[in-house]
Amino acid sequence: MEVIDGNAVASDLLEELAKKIQTFEDQKPCVVFIRVGEDPASISYVRKKEKTADKIGIESRLLIFPVSISEDELLDKISELNTDSSVHGILVQAPLPSHIDDRKVFNYVSPNKDVDGFNATNLGLLCQENKDAFASCTPAGILELLKRTLIDTEGKHVVVLGRSLIVGKPVGILLLQKGVPGNATVTYCHSRTPDLANHTQQADILIAAIGKPHFVKKSMVKPGAVVIDVGINRITDRSRKSGFRLVGDVNFEEVSNISSFITPVPGGVGPMTVAMLMKNTVKAFEQSLDQVTNQ
């Protein structure tokens, strides 16, 4: 069994991006983070993204709005950023307040600046295997992990636990595409799938993105399978100063004994999500330069 070190892979990717950014002459990539309210998790996530951007030479700007902001006011601000040529990427940090339709907001971000990959246009382009499309960062990070760990996906049976627009659906689409990694046979499972273990036991590669701590047990996994754990769940742990610890959707202690490769939580898929956001921002910047050249 080999534990896939997401921190190490992300670090390598960020180093490559930093070197590329140094070759840009006059202008640098710029990403704008939008945060609504004071959700502690959102504050922490955005701060980490800002620090990573700064470390590799990407300009970042943070716009903070009160939780009382109206949907129209937020859309107006996004509209301004859509037309600002100095901004290459826009990220709206979820969750948003209940009075704001997050899907409407994500679709309002220009597809050319949608570095989160949540816009319906990019999801459609992803289905068409358009290389200019922005894939959402966690699924793209999973593929990068598989690629850099030299895990073969061609002809493999991938079982995806979860069907969200952020992880489940796009990761299956990416693994179905022609190329490397890709060419896999993909099965989607979810909360309404009967006899779930019968499906997961057939997986050469099992991707768990179901949002339930320690849901995947040893009995659900085929010996020798590659297990990618996307879950980030807080569980009570009074032995820790914080009072909690982070665990994945997979029971790591059990499953690691029979898997060939497995990602830990934390330190597996999580670091890749931030790294792929940076990669998407650099890609958006390069595409903006191409657009200027072609005008």
Side-chain angles (χ1 to χ4, degrees), residues 137-167:
C137 300
T138 300
I142 291 169
L143 263 72
E144 197 75 18
L145 277 180
L146 295 172
K147 180 180 177 181
R148 291 180 182 242
T149 313
L150 303 179
I151 293 171
D152 185 20
T153 59
E154 178 143 357
K156 303 299 183 183
H157 185 187
V158 176
V159 174
V160 180
L161 277 179
R163 52 181 169 176
S164 72
L165 284 172
I166 294 174
V167 181

Side-chain angles (χ1 to χ4, degrees), residues 271-291:
M272 294 303 300
T273 300
V274 177
M276 296 310 292
L277 170 65
M278 301 303 138
K279 185 175 181 179
N280 276 351
T281 301
V282 172
K283 178 178 177 177
F285 173 73
E286 290 178 313
Q287 287 181 353
S288 73
L289 293 181
D290 289 341
Q291 288 170 359

Side-chain angles (χ1 to χ4, degrees), residues 163-228:
R163 52 181 169 176
S164 72
L165 284 172
I166 294 174
V167 181
K169 286 175 182 171
V171 77
I173 291 168
L174 286 169
L175 285 162
L176 280 170
Q177 69 185 355
K178 298 169 186 173
V180 179
N183 290 323
T185 298
V186 179
T187 297
Y188 287 98
C189 296
H190 45 79
S191 59
R192 302 297 178 89
T193 302
D195 196 8
L196 190 60
N198 181 52
H199 295 281
T200 58
Q201 288 165 355
Q202 298 177 46
D204 300 310
I205 301 172
L206 178 61
I207 300 174
I210 206 163
K212 295 182 179 179
H214 289 163
F215 181 82
V216 177
K217 308 290 194 293
K218 181 178 178 180
S219 60
M220 299 173 66
V221 179
K222 180 172 74 171
V226 175
V227 180
I228 305 295

Side-chain angles (χ1 to χ4, degrees), residues 10-271:
S11 179
D12 288 345
L13 175 57
L14 290 171
E15 187 177 333
E16 292 166 14
L17 290 172
K19 289 178 179 177
K20 176 180 275 193
I21 291 167
Q22 288 174 0
T23 67
F24 300 147
E25 295 178 356
D26 300 326
Q27 196 177 6
K28 298 295 184 186
C30 173
V31 60
V32 174
F33 301 117
I34 296 175
R35 198 186 82 220
V36 178
E38 299 297 323
D39 176 68
S42 293
I43 293 172
S44 176
Y45 291 149
V46 171
R47 186 177 294 130
K48 185 173 184 179
K49 292 167 186 174
E50 285 184 290
K51 286 181 178 179
T52 304
D54 180 63
K55 183 178 178 181
I56 66 170
I58 292 176
E59 178 191 349
S60 69
R61 305 175 195 168
L62 174 60
L63 302 180
I64 304 171
F65 298 105
V67 73
S68 58
I69 189 173
S70 71
E71 184 176 273
D72 285 343
E73 288 174 316
L74 182 57
L75 294 178
D76 285 345
K77 188 60 199 178
I78 292 171
S79 182
E80 289 177 25
L81 296 171
N82 283 341
T83 57
D84 185 341
S85 61
S86 70
V87 173
H88 309 105
I90 302 169
L91 182 146
V92 182
Q93 183 64 47
L96 293 171
S98 57
H99 65 277
I100 296 177
D101 183 342
D102 57 357
R103 196 169 296 184
K104 184 175 181 180
V105 169
F106 295 146
N107 284 334
Y108 212 75
V109 174
S110 167
N112 297 326
K113 301 186 179 187
D114 173 36
V115 289
D116 239 352
F118 293 165
N119 187 292
T121 297
N122 277 313
L123 283 167
L125 291 172
L126 207 63
C127 289
Q128 295 180 340
E129 301 191 20
N130 188 311
K131 300 303 181 185
D132 290 336
F134 292 101
S136 50
C137 300
T138 300
I142 291 169
L143 263 72
E144 197 75 18
L145 277 180
L146 295 172
K147 180 180 177 181
R148 291 180 182 242
T149 313
L150 303 179
I151 293 171
D152 185 20
T153 59
E154 178 143 357
K156 303 299 183 183
H157 185 187
V158 176
V159 174
V160 180
L161 277 179
R163 52 181 169 176
S164 72
L165 284 172
I166 294 174
V167 181
K169 286 175 182 171
V171 77
I173 291 168
L174 286 169
L175 285 162
L176 280 170
Q177 69 185 355
K178 298 169 186 173
V180 179
N183 290 323
T185 298
V186 179
T187 297
Y188 287 98
C189 296
H190 45 79
S191 59
R192 302 297 178 89
T193 302
D195 196 8
L196 190 60
N198 181 52
H199 295 281
T200 58
Q201 288 165 355
Q202 298 177 46
D204 300 310
I205 301 172
L206 178 61
I207 300 174
I210 206 163
K212 295 182 179 179
H214 289 163
F215 181 82
V216 177
K217 308 290 194 293
K218 181 178 178 180
S219 60
M220 299 173 66
V221 179
K222 180 172 74 171
V226 175
V227 180
I228 305 295
D229 191 350
V230 185
I232 302 179
N233 309 286
R234 291 189 180 196
I235 63 171
T236 301
D237 186 343
R238 301 194 185 282
S239 69
R240 301 198 174 203
K241 187 177 179 181
S242 63
F244 67 88
R245 63 189 172 98
L246 295 178
V247 299
D249 292 352
V250 176
N251 188 318
F252 184 88
E253 304 250 336
E254 285 186 17
V255 175
S256 61
N257 289 327
I258 63 167
S259 58
S260 58
F261 292 87
I262 189 169
T263 59
V265 176
V269 174

